[in-house]
Amino acid sequence: MSVGWTQVALAGVWGGLVAVERKAFLQAMFSRPLVSATVMGLLLNDVPSGLFVGMLLELFHLGTANLGASLPDNDTLSATGTSAAAATMAAATGAGSTPALWSLAVLLFVGLGRWGLVVDRLLERYSGRLARKALASAEMGNLTRAMQQNLWGMWPHFVLFGVMTSLCALAGFFLGPLLERMPLPLLRGLAWAYPAMASVAAAIAARGSHARRAPVYAGLGAAVVTVAVILCILRERL
């Protein structure tokens, strides 16, 4: 098995950039799961993995937002790490991107959002201290020093989240060969798990929209996907 170190490095750079964009710079929605995962797939030559992982995680995290001191799970790290792992798993297998691969990547790496939240809380303290120092420097008329202190507050986000994303990409290269050894029934189950997870994510998104009939829309969406999956399975067996 050969590791594509260029892909690992690209994953880390993009993961670090969108982490900074999410918290400290620009905030133009590039860090949303759909965008960040799709671009990750583009960088790693596997747009389908990035797009389909990003769509699922975008729906799953659609209702999250920063509310005062309450921080949600880090949806950006969840998306970049999962899509990077999916793309490198596909590269390691050489079989291309498949729903089974997307499902496995989501199941293994979706929990990154919670780890990202832990890192966010640790960095909030560091950034808060630098922000107070920058404000004091600005009040003393030292604007150059204040700008430098603000920039130093961004670097930990870039480095830590970039390293975590690179590790996910690296893990994908080692998981790829294991995917090839899985029995065919398990792979088929993972393939059908993707639309099932997508229907659940869509239901969560509809429920979080606070629309008047959100539960009805959520239930109908999940039911339609479930029926479609059952029909496809029955068609394969006939």
Side-chain angles (χ1 to χ4, degrees), residues 47-61:
V47 175
S49 286
L51 179 61
F52 283 99
V53 167
M55 285 194 299
L56 192 152
L57 295 180
E58 180 69 36
L59 290 171
F60 185 75
H61 291 287

Side-chain angles (χ1 to χ4, degrees), residues 8-21:
V8 172
L10 283 173
V13 170
W14 178 244
L17 286 174
V18 290
V20 172
E21 194 273 341

